[in-house]
Amino acid sequence: MHRVVALVRPVQSTFELGCASEVFGLERGGIPRRYDFAVCTEAPGEVQTSGGYSIYVVHGLEALETADTIIIPGWAPVDAPLPDPIRRALLRAHGRGARLVTICSGVFALARTGLLDGRSATAHWKRADQLRREFPALTVEPHRRYIDHGDIATSAGAGAGIDLCLHLVQRDHGAEHAALVAQHMTLPPYRASEARQQLSAATPPAEALDVLLTWATERLSSPLTVSDLAGRLGVSSRTLARRFADNLGIGPGEWLLARRVAEARTLLEQTDLPVEAIAVRVGLSSAVNLRRRFRDQVGTTPGAYRQAFRAGAACSAGPARLASRAEPAGRAHPAMFATSAIAVSSCASPTK
């Protein structure tokens, strides 16, 4: 069975750990168990969390020696040094083929191993500039919800960590199994389908194409066309389509639309801008066009999406008060964590 180990440290963010625990650690009736989940820390024992309570972690770094996937669910404070024992353990694990995954600020810890040098990574937009300054050898792409290189994967904010975890489930066991997990977490079906879409957003091997994607992402408000992208790369539209198909599995027009809708989602989550203004900012010109494209890709309207997101966010603080101490098994109790910023129905009942 695929063994997933979350590496925690004080003060551990509860939500980021909850993302990993919910997706990989919770046994669900009627869904085959595919993962063995554990939590470890450098010094086993009590680990203080950002929620004001402690969790008891029984496993030390030796747990990383048998992990197939290692998740760093946040790293606070982000400028905290990476202890040599942790650095060596991560390098050994990666050397033997373990997959290393970060959620939100966890990318800072992974970057200190040197394993991200020469690669692209994503991070929370508030930390992107700091990540660039501290680690100039890596390319930071904060507009990406997550980036999967196969052996290493990073996610942006904490909410994007759920998307990345579901993407990894899909990569390991297929879209059908990922959809079942998402459904059990009371996530709207489009979260699982978005994982399939975002699979094609992983960094392509061709550096020139990667630079083009970054360039286009930074100019979504402009009326970019496939011809514009081809001209920027200095190739014909047909050659561009072939490169996108080879590296991303979709056409340039599909990719551009997906990025516009993804940016619209971010603006709906983080701002109070009206739909008309968001449509202009993401290059979809009108509210009518945005609503049509958003429904096609996300399965709901922008207004309904914003309402669901905010309703979920309003109740996400509640689970942190359910207990003052986690169970001593070292695994965070799932009731302590918000499963998703938009899992509105989870607020209605404390049971799954």
Side-chain angles (χ1 to χ4, degrees), residues 7-292:
L7 172 63
V8 302
R9 59 161 278 124
V11 173
Q12 176 60 45
S13 170
T14 57
F15 188 85
E16 281 87 334
L17 178 57
C19 293
S21 176
E22 276 287 331
V23 174
F24 299 110
L26 188 63
E27 293 189 30
R28 296 174 164 88
I31 301 178
R33 186 182 177 193
R34 304 293 192 191
Y35 297 96
D36 177 40
F37 181 78
V39 178
C40 78
T41 189
E42 184 180 12
E46 286 196 1
V47 176
Q48 185 65 28
T49 74
S50 61
Y53 55 84
S54 297
I55 57 176
Y56 193 90
V57 181
V58 299
H59 298 296
L61 297 181
E62 71 280 355
L64 302 181
E65 296 174 3
T66 57
D68 299 297
T69 294
I70 297 171
I71 299 178
I72 307 176
W75 189 262
V78 295
D79 55 359
L82 184 68
D84 284 341
I86 294 180
R87 181 182 61 82
R88 291 194 296 269
L90 291 175
L91 290 173
R92 285 196 301 269
H94 182 261
R96 65 173 173 76
R99 178 172 61 193
L100 305 185
V101 178
T102 68
I103 298 176
C104 199
S105 58
V107 68
F108 282 84
L110 187 58
R112 292 187 178 101
T113 67
L115 292 172
L116 287 175
D117 290 357
R119 301 205 194 196
S120 58
T122 189
H124 192 283
W125 59 272
K126 285 188 175 180
R127 295 292 186 181
D129 288 341
Q130 181 181 355
L131 191 64
R132 288 191 186 99
R133 289 193 304 269
E134 293 190 22
F135 306 100
L138 65 87
T139 301
V140 182
E141 300 186 36
H143 300 291
R144 307 273 286 279
R145 294 184 72 81
Y146 60 80
I147 296 176
D148 181 12
H149 292 284
D151 59 328
I152 288 175
T154 58
S155 75
I162 297 177
D163 292 333
L164 174 56
C165 289
L166 287 174
H167 158 71
L168 296 176
V169 171
Q170 182 211 260
R171 205 182 83 181
D172 293 342
H173 301 292
E176 182 177 356
H177 185 75
L180 288 174
V181 174
Q183 182 182 30
H184 196 278
M185 291 173 66
T186 67
L187 297 180
Y190 63 79
R191 293 298 286 262
S193 65
E194 184 186 20
R196 293 193 292 272
Q197 170 190 322
Q198 290 291 341
L199 178 61
S200 65
T203 303
E207 182 179 351
L209 186 56
D210 191 40
V211 172
L212 175 67
L213 300 185
T214 301
W215 177 85
T217 298
E218 293 172 349
R219 293 163 175 78
L220 291 178
S221 61
S222 303
L224 292 175
T225 65
V226 173
S227 296
D228 294 330
L229 298 180
R232 178 72 181 180
L233 200 59
V235 298
S236 67
S237 295
R238 179 175 297 181
T239 298
L240 181 72
R242 185 168 61 249
R243 291 191 184 181
F244 266 77
D246 290 344
N247 290 286
L248 303 179
I250 58 174
E254 293 175 85
W255 177 88
L256 189 56
L257 177 59
R259 291 308 308 142
R260 295 190 193 281
V261 172
E263 180 65 13
R265 278 187 57 178
T266 299
L267 291 172
L268 288 166
E269 294 170 4
Q270 299 179 0
T271 75
D272 294 318
L273 289 171
V275 173
E276 292 79 4
I278 291 176
V280 173
R281 285 203 180 191
V282 302
L284 290 176
S285 70
S286 70
V288 172
N289 192 27
L290 172 59
R291 290 188 182 98
R292 181 166 62 88

